[in-house]
Amino acid sequence: MTDLAIVDAAPTPLRARVGTKFAYGTRGVREALLSFAVSGAHAILEEDILIHAAGREVEAVELAGNHGTRLHVVGDVGDGWLEVTYSALVDITRPTGDQVGHEIDFDRWVFTRPSRYAESDRLAPMAAQLFPTQSGAERVRAVAEWVHAHMAYVSGASRGTDGAVDSILQASGVCRDFAHVVVALLRALGTPARLVSVYAPGLQPMDFHAVAEAWVEGSWHIVDATRLAPREAMVRIATGRDAADTAFLTTRGGRTTFNRQVVTASLVEGVLPQESPDSLVRLA
């Protein structure tokens, strides 16, 4: 059995400039829920949010979600364009502590249940056969290695409705598919796991990124089976059961049409860490 080092996120001081600019054509949209802002778990040094709807600048209402998630609601979107421009300077700090007491107990149960895109109940026999003896950190490493070896990262290979079972059968997908498979297999084995959307300096191709987060060694640790970016430099956006909880755009009523999207994430202080797949990495 391999001994795994536990690495707190950002062991040396790191600062990142992250942001996005995306636009969707809208027709008859009543409301939009946006998830692009850096989580309140991080130290945000600077932040600019600019939102336009139907040709006018609008003020969004910020909602506080779980685990530091910050959501923005835009009402009366109307017809035309919904455009978001966002930029933040973030101090990627070491974790200051996870939830405490009953919150941890609650989450450990919630994130062991099957969910929309992480059908752990359907994968339980497969998971038991693939990982019959591993436990703790070794189990997390084994699941991540299996997903990395089994799946190919292929842009456009999956649909937005695909869950972990579909991704395993297709043996391909994008970051959210890799994360869903990791989450589902870990839950099937009794390890609490959840999905996190992040900004990821060093990611190629650059985009919003999705990773898994597993409860092991008494805290939450990031698991990224794609191995496309160093986990120690990632910046948390939203945390949830699966992609249904972390989508960057959700609308009520009407229709939206994709126009353009650009995501940026780079370090402005510090050196991009070297990724070590065998390490356990905590994220702020």
Side-chain angles (χ1 to χ4, degrees):
M1 182 178 294
T2 303
D3 291 331
L4 301 184
I6 298 178
V7 180
D8 281 346
T12 57
L14 298 175
R15 287 187 179 182
R17 173 70 67 180
V18 301
T20 184
K21 185 170 185 177
F22 59 85
Y24 280 76
T26 59
R27 187 172 183 81
V29 176
R30 297 193 302 275
E31 287 184 298
L33 180 67
L34 303 163
S35 178
F36 57 81
V38 170
S39 165
H42 289 286
I44 303 171
L45 307 179
E46 300 174 6
E47 184 173 58
D48 293 300
I49 300 174
L50 184 63
I51 302 175
H52 286 86
R56 67 191 189 283
E57 184 177 341
V58 297
E59 291 291 333
V61 176
E62 182 170 317
L63 302 179
N66 295 328
H67 318 293
T69 300
R70 299 162 59 215
L71 304 171
H72 290 82
V73 177
V74 177
D76 190 24
V77 175
D79 298 340
W81 296 101
L82 174 63
E83 184 176 70
V84 172
T85 303
Y86 176 72
S87 176
L89 178 63
V90 185
D91 185 357
I92 308 176
T93 57
R94 293 176 182 270
T96 56
D98 293 302
Q99 300 152 288
V100 296
H102 71 279
E103 292 176 323
I104 287 179
D105 293 335
F106 180 77
D107 275 2
R108 288 173 63 192
W109 282 106
V110 168
F111 294 120
T112 311
R113 295 171 177 166
S115 60
R116 168 66 178 84
Y117 297 110
E119 313 99 308
S120 52
D121 48 349
R122 295 180 61 189
L123 292 174
M126 176 183 176
Q129 185 177 34
L130 286 172
F131 312 103
T133 61
Q134 295 92 338
S135 62
E138 184 66 15
R139 171 187 290 169
V140 173
R141 183 189 67 83
V143 169
E145 283 191 353
W146 184 88
V147 176
H148 178 74
H150 176 78
M151 294 182 62
Y153 188 96
V154 181
S155 182
S158 58
R159 303 162 297 179
T161 55
D162 286 351
V165 172
D166 298 306
S167 299
I168 289 173
L169 291 173
Q170 294 165 183
S172 63
V174 293
C175 59
R176 61 165 260 164
D177 305 305
F178 279 68
H180 284 152
V181 175
V182 170
V183 167
L185 289 175
L186 286 175
R187 289 181 187 171
L189 295 164
T191 298
R194 59 196 191 187
L195 188 135
V196 182
S197 60
V198 298
Y199 289 104
L203 179 68
Q204 293 294 334
M206 179 56 66
D207 203 341
F208 288 114
H209 195 42
V211 296
E213 197 169 32
W215 180 266
V216 63
E217 304 288 351
S219 59
W220 293 101
H221 293 86
I222 290 295
V223 185
D224 185 6
T226 71
R227 300 183 184 176
L228 293 177
R231 291 168 292 159
E232 292 178 52
M234 291 180 181
V235 178
R236 185 188 302 270
I237 301 173
T239 308
R241 295 165 299 176
D242 54 35
D245 292 339
T246 61
F248 68 89
L249 173 62
T250 306
T251 58
R252 285 182 176 172
R255 186 174 70 245
T256 59
T257 305
F258 174 78
N259 179 261
R260 62 187 181 278
Q261 175 178 297
V262 176
V263 177
T264 57
S266 60
L267 295 184
V268 295
E269 185 175 322
V271 178
L272 198 66
Q274 191 75 25
E275 174 65 4
S276 176
D278 286 343
S279 297
L280 292 179
V281 177
R282 293 181 64 192
L283 186 65

